[in-house]
Amino acid sequence: MRALKRVVQHLGARPHAAAEANRTVATLPVHVDVEGHPHLAGPRRPLTAKIRALAATPITSSGDASAIGWSIVLACAHARMQYRDLAKAAFTENWPGLEFARTHRTQGGRTPRLDAAQELTRQWTKAVTAASFTTRTSGTCSPARRTAERTVADLIARMEAQPEQWQGKTGAQSRLVLLALAARVLAAASEEVHFSERDWALAAGLARDTVADRLADLAGRGWIRRTRRAVGPWAATWRVATHGGGETGSGAVFTPALAQRLHEELECARADIWHAQPLGVLGMRVWALLRTGTVPVGELATRLGVCTATVRSKLRALQSLGLCTSSGRVYQGRSRLARAAAAAGVTGAHADRVRLYRLQSAVFVWWFTTRYQAEDSDALAEWGSFPTPAEAEQVHPVDIALAYGATAAGPPVEATTWGAAMAAQDLLREADPGSWWELVAAARAALPAADVLAAPHQWATAA
């Protein structure tokens, strides 16, 4: 009876504050595969029987394909699967539960997606981000992870406190470059990261030459610092610079919402539509600002640091492609961006850039492999020796143009040894797309380390 009385007395009591004090949001280590997709670190685990059954069950007319698909994708992330495993399940093995990635709901049923791979990539990035954040007792997050999160939170806070730094076309490009570095720091859980100009460009949705220019500018203005030069096939290492070389003391707090916003903005920057000539990075910024609400033309011009005529031209382009109305209302969503890209004739533009930069990296690694690993090389057994100038002359210029993607952007590239190697690598990539990039990565890893190459040689470019 006394025990029952004590229970009744405590029914109205609030939970003890100390009980929640030791609980916090911690993060699991996130790695990046050779294609730039994130995944949780650790050995792969089997999916539960419930998830396997969900994945094998066809989607009915009354079923919520998005909710079912999200459950499966999140479970795959928790199981330490990688993106290529999920893509194989969705597009090769055609798991019924992943129907959301292949089609979307319409009035007449389900229609094939124009952006199937991009949608799966987006959901996978969200799932890995969600899976990496777990509610744990305080102190379980590694010091390196906490330091990386503080660095990113502080960087974004400083960027938001100085909006004038990101005005104009070059300012908008510099902003994307910094955000891409922040995402890499988070993914690596390290303040200092290897980042080649090509990878940086693909992460930020920019061209490599643009990134090279912006890196020099940002380093000169004290936002970033290169800690080691690129050597051979090894990328340079970079870090976010702090004021005075020490702690900034901004007091910024890292949250899962901040990470999600960072990844969503970079994903938007990689959309094909911004390759359209009338839009570009400024068109994206106008569209992004209008997403927050109706903004007058004059205010848009002031915030972007451009003239009103430029803003009006971007608004006309956005309207013509169905991304906003004359009143400033914005249309959002990946399918809307995909339709706009199709209307502008730039569908697949980002994928083409990815393909081109990977080909360039592969040829560079091939050249190094021929020079340093001429014997006992799996890569050379697959590729053969790097072509000589005489062999290059036997390659048709059209093949070289196709490898470069030059047929859609001007005259064919001159037939050079490098161009012939590009064409040869493109054929190898088409013959075995499943293992081609892994072979490139393995060949790079088999080459001498950066410190070995740095002594006798000072190479300026990394693959």
Side-chain angles (χ1 to χ4, degrees), residues 76-393:
C76 290
H78 278 293
R80 272 58 173 180
M81 290 173 63
Q82 296 190 26
Y83 175 79
R84 62 175 176 266
D85 303 318
L86 185 66
K88 179 180 178 181
F91 304 127
T92 302
E93 299 175 352
N94 291 315
W95 287 7
L98 294 177
E99 185 62 30
F100 83 96
R102 299 183 290 268
T103 62
H104 63 89
R105 188 192 297 274
T106 60
Q107 292 181 350
R110 300 195 67 84
T111 303
R113 285 185 177 276
L114 295 174
D115 60 341
Q118 293 92 330
E119 174 65 14
L120 189 65
T121 299
R122 183 177 73 89
Q123 295 293 345
W124 175 249
T125 301
K126 287 175 56 179
V128 173
T129 300
S132 69
F133 288 98
T134 58
T135 304
R136 293 177 161 186
T137 57
S138 61
T140 56
C141 185
S142 70
R145 168 66 63 178
R146 287 196 296 269
T147 300
E149 291 175 349
R150 284 198 301 268
T151 298
V152 169
D154 178 75
L155 171 65
I156 294 177
R158 285 190 287 134
M159 291 173 65
E160 292 178 344
Q162 303 178 57
E164 69 283 353
Q165 297 254 12
W166 323 118
Q167 292 183 336
K169 181 179 179 179
T170 57
Q173 292 168 342
S174 295
R175 184 173 179 276
L176 288 175
V177 168
L178 280 181
L179 293 181
L181 177 59
R184 176 59 68 96
V185 168
L186 278 182
S190 172
E191 288 187 280
E192 189 172 295
V193 294
H194 288 272
F195 218 175
S196 73
E197 291 175 359
R198 290 186 182 90
D199 287 343
W200 212 321
L202 295 178
L206 300 170
R208 182 198 177 191
D209 291 345
T210 299
V211 169
D213 291 341
R214 296 301 91 219
L215 289 179
D217 177 65
L218 288 168
R221 290 193 282 139
W223 283 95
I224 59 177
R225 184 162 60 89
R226 187 179 62 188
T227 56
R228 186 168 187 170
R229 295 180 62 87
V231 181
W234 308 107
T237 57
W238 297 84
R239 67 180 298 136
V240 175
T242 54
H243 295 305
E247 295 294 332
T248 60
S250 69
V253 178
F254 182 84
T255 63
L258 181 64
Q260 184 69 18
R261 180 161 59 91
L262 170 64
H263 288 297
E264 287 179 353
E265 182 163 355
L266 286 172
E267 182 187 24
C268 176
R270 294 190 290 267
D272 291 334
I273 183 58
W274 312 124
H275 287 257
Q277 190 67 31
L279 290 175
V281 68
L282 284 178
M284 181 186 68
R285 291 292 293 145
V286 170
W287 181 80
L289 289 175
L290 288 177
R291 293 173 68 184
T292 63
T294 303
V295 184
V297 171
E299 184 178 344
L300 284 172
T302 300
R303 293 173 66 176
L304 293 175
V306 297
C307 64
T308 56
T310 298
V311 172
R312 289 193 177 95
S313 71
K314 301 304 178 184
L315 287 173
R316 286 194 297 269
L318 289 170
Q319 292 173 31
S320 67
L321 294 169
L323 292 179
C324 79
T325 65
S326 58
S327 62
R329 177 190 173 191
V330 165
Y331 294 110
Q332 306 181 43
R334 292 195 61 82
S335 60
R336 176 71 70 162
L337 292 178
R339 287 198 297 272
V346 292
T347 298
H350 181 73
D352 286 344
R353 180 177 286 167
V354 171
R355 170 177 165 271
L356 174 62
Y357 286 178
R358 286 181 181 169
L359 279 172
Q360 291 174 348
S361 294
V363 170
F364 198 65
V365 169
W366 186 10
W367 181 73
F368 262 89
T369 302
T370 300
R371 184 167 184 173
Y372 288 101
Q373 299 288 335
E375 298 179 359
D376 193 27
S377 169
D378 291 339
L380 288 184
E382 181 75 19
W383 300 332
S385 297
F386 196 78
T388 64
E391 292 169 338
E393 291 298 326

Side-chain angles (χ1 to χ4, degrees), residues 391-407 410-416 419-420 422-423:
E391 292 169 338
E393 291 298 326
Q394 305 303 315
V395 180
H396 197 284
V398 172
D399 294 330
I400 297 175
L402 290 174
Y404 271 98
T407 54
V413 179
E414 181 182 357
T416 63
M422 290 280 290

